[in-house]
Amino acid sequence: MQCDYFDAGACRSCTLMGVGYAAQLASASAHLRELLGAHVPDGAWLAPFAGPEEGFRNKAKLVVGGTKHSPTLGILDEHGLGVDLRHCGLHEPGLAAAIPVLADLVGAAGLTPYDVPTRQGELKHLLVTHSPDGELMVRFVLRSPGQLRRVTELLPLLGERLPGTRVASVNLQPEHKAVLEGPEEIVLTPRETLPMRVNDITLHLRTRSFFQTNTTVAAGLYAQARDWVADASPRSVWDLYCGVGGFALHLAAPGREVLGIEQSHEAVLSARQSAAEHGIEASFETGDATTYLQERTAPELVVVNPPRRGIGPLADWLEGSGVRRVVYSSCNPRTLADDLARMPTLRVRHARLFDMFPQTHHHEVMVDLERVG
């Protein structure tokens, strides 16, 4: 992949830009084999799963800088000033087409970008998600409600210029710190969810829902988990850190009890909505995964898809439980290695790299574990 922004030194976020994609995958595979070698036999590794090396991101997290009539959408430089990256080649085609339009709309509406050095202004970020069916979720992150009226007045023009806009909202982030969003969200459209079709399942994203950045690779991840779980044929499955239900909904099958646990009540509502629409027999509860486990009889198979910190004490519980199989999807192989070390009687049968983030050193890896002895 070639990038004008990288070549000009304007953005160096893609640390592997210019490295051939085959070489990127080979290097990542070698790194994972070295890092996880104590826990994953060489014969357990499957071929890496990869999608396109560019045009793959379904979500843009854009810092708004510049001026009221000439905004920049992209990142900040070392001085806290906006660097415009509206034509970034990582974005899906539909998302790439929408971002310049949004830049024009922001400028025409007179929304004042937040200036980090002076701590003045209102519009901090635009968070835009694109679905496989061409629909959009557009979130305006403001410092205060001061320009809420301007955003509301912008909605008819937004719908006219970007007719695929399904959800629009304002998020309030009043603090001066490097975080994307704040705790308060105001949905401005009648519809509150963005349907994301993945394989044969339609997931529903609300404004604060987590979803994998790469839809193509996410589909491969869920399909692989479905194959591994089908091979195990469990009668009961728990999906911990289930989010909007991606794994749980893919793993549901006749005669199988599937339960998803997630701390975000908003995500649980989305998962329940998807299950109801598809007629899938799966249940979802709001709660802490570790606490939930301590209070109930263990299932036959557990899926975990934790944040970067890994599962920590939950690994100790799994090691001492009666769970026969575990499918662990990790975005941080270092914490995965630590967690595998805490589960010595759960041995890796299969492992696979899923390259969610081409052009970077970040990877998703999933392992299929089976209890021995």
Side-chain angles (χ1 to χ4, degrees):
M1 176 181 173
Q2 184 274 332
C3 174
D4 291 340
Y5 297 123
F6 186 88
D7 292 344
C11 176
R12 291 303 175 97
S13 299
C14 294
T15 53
L16 296 180
M17 186 64 66
V19 177
Y21 194 41
Q24 290 185 33
L25 290 174
S27 176
S29 297
H31 175 68
L32 289 176
R33 286 173 183 265
E34 179 180 1
L35 185 62
L36 299 173
H39 311 290
V40 183
D42 281 344
W45 286 102
L46 304 179
F49 186 99
E53 63 173 298
E54 58 185 311
F56 61 85
R57 286 189 65 96
N58 56 38
K59 184 172 184 178
K61 303 175 181 180
L62 303 165
V63 181
V64 183
T67 65
K68 179 187 294 187
H69 299 297
S70 184
T72 62
L73 301 185
I75 59 174
L76 299 179
D77 65 14
E78 65 272 19
H79 304 295
L81 302 177
V83 177
D84 195 86
L85 303 176
R86 70 183 69 183
H87 299 294
C88 174
L90 298 185
H91 299 140
E92 291 181 352
L95 181 58
I99 291 171
V101 177
L102 287 168
D104 292 343
L105 291 175
V106 167
L111 291 165
T112 307
Y114 182 71
D115 183 72
V116 172
T118 64
R119 304 191 181 192
Q120 300 295 315
E122 287 292 331
L123 181 58
K124 292 186 169 184
H125 303 102
L126 276 180
L127 308 178
V128 190
T129 305
H130 180 256
S131 82
D133 295 311
E135 294 185 306
L136 293 168
M137 176 187 290
V138 183
R139 302 172 63 205
F140 298 81
V141 181
L142 301 178
R143 184 177 67 162
S144 74
Q147 290 192 348
L148 177 59
R149 178 182 59 82
R150 287 185 182 271
V151 176
T152 303
E153 291 174 348
L154 183 61
L155 291 183
L157 188 56
L158 177 63
E160 178 184 323
R161 295 287 304 279
L162 292 172
T165 303
R166 179 183 174 95
V167 182
S169 71
V170 163
N171 177 273
L172 298 179
Q173 204 293 84
E175 299 185 69
H176 181 77
K177 60 182 182 181
V179 295
L180 279 175
E181 57 191 84
E184 184 177 353
E185 193 90 22
I186 304 167
V187 178
L188 304 175
T189 48
R191 292 176 291 191
E192 298 185 354
T193 72
L194 179 68
M196 296 290 287
R197 182 172 44 81
V198 185
N199 298 319
D200 54 348
I201 302 292
T202 296
L203 304 172
H204 282 273
L205 304 190
R206 284 175 163 79
T207 53
R208 301 172 63 81
S209 298
F210 168 80
F211 185 72
Q212 299 286 2
T213 301
N214 189 323
T215 307
T216 298
V217 179
L221 184 77
Y222 295 142
Q224 181 65 82
R226 177 186 276 173
D227 288 346
W228 285 347
V229 172
D231 178 66
S233 299
R235 291 169 296 178
S236 55
V237 172
W238 287 357
D239 178 9
L240 308 181
Y241 314 93
C242 73
V244 297
F247 281 106
L249 294 166
H250 277 81
L251 303 183
R256 180 178 298 159
E257 182 181 343
V258 175
L259 171 66
I261 304 296
E262 168 59 45
Q263 284 190 318
S264 167
H265 181 62
E266 185 178 83
V268 168
L269 291 177
S270 294
R272 289 173 176 170
Q273 180 177 348
S274 296
E277 287 181 359
H278 286 281
I280 293 174
E281 293 187 7
S283 57
F284 297 90
E285 300 293 339
T286 305
D288 174 73
T290 304
T291 302
Y292 198 91
L293 290 172
Q294 294 172 351
E295 299 172 351
R296 288 161 177 81
T297 303
E300 294 182 12
L301 187 147
V302 169
V303 178
V304 290
N305 182 26
R308 291 188 62 79
R309 66 177 180 271
I311 60 175
L314 180 56
D316 299 326
W317 182 90
L318 287 169
E319 171 64 16
S321 73
V323 173
R324 302 300 305 172
R325 296 284 285 269
V326 174
V327 174
Y328 188 144
S329 181
S330 169
C331 61
N332 185 347
R334 294 189 181 279
T335 55
L336 172 61
D338 292 340
D339 291 336
L340 291 176
R342 300 170 78 157
M343 301 184 291
T345 66
L346 284 163
R347 303 289 177 83
V348 176
R349 299 177 70 248
H350 303 102
R352 195 172 192 185
L353 161 67
F354 292 83
D355 193 20
M356 291 280 182
F357 314 102
Q359 317 306 329
T360 77
H361 290 286
H362 300 292
H363 309 292
E364 191 89 10
V365 60
M366 189 164 65
V367 292
D368 174 21
L369 302 164
E370 183 176 34
R371 191 172 300 277
V372 294

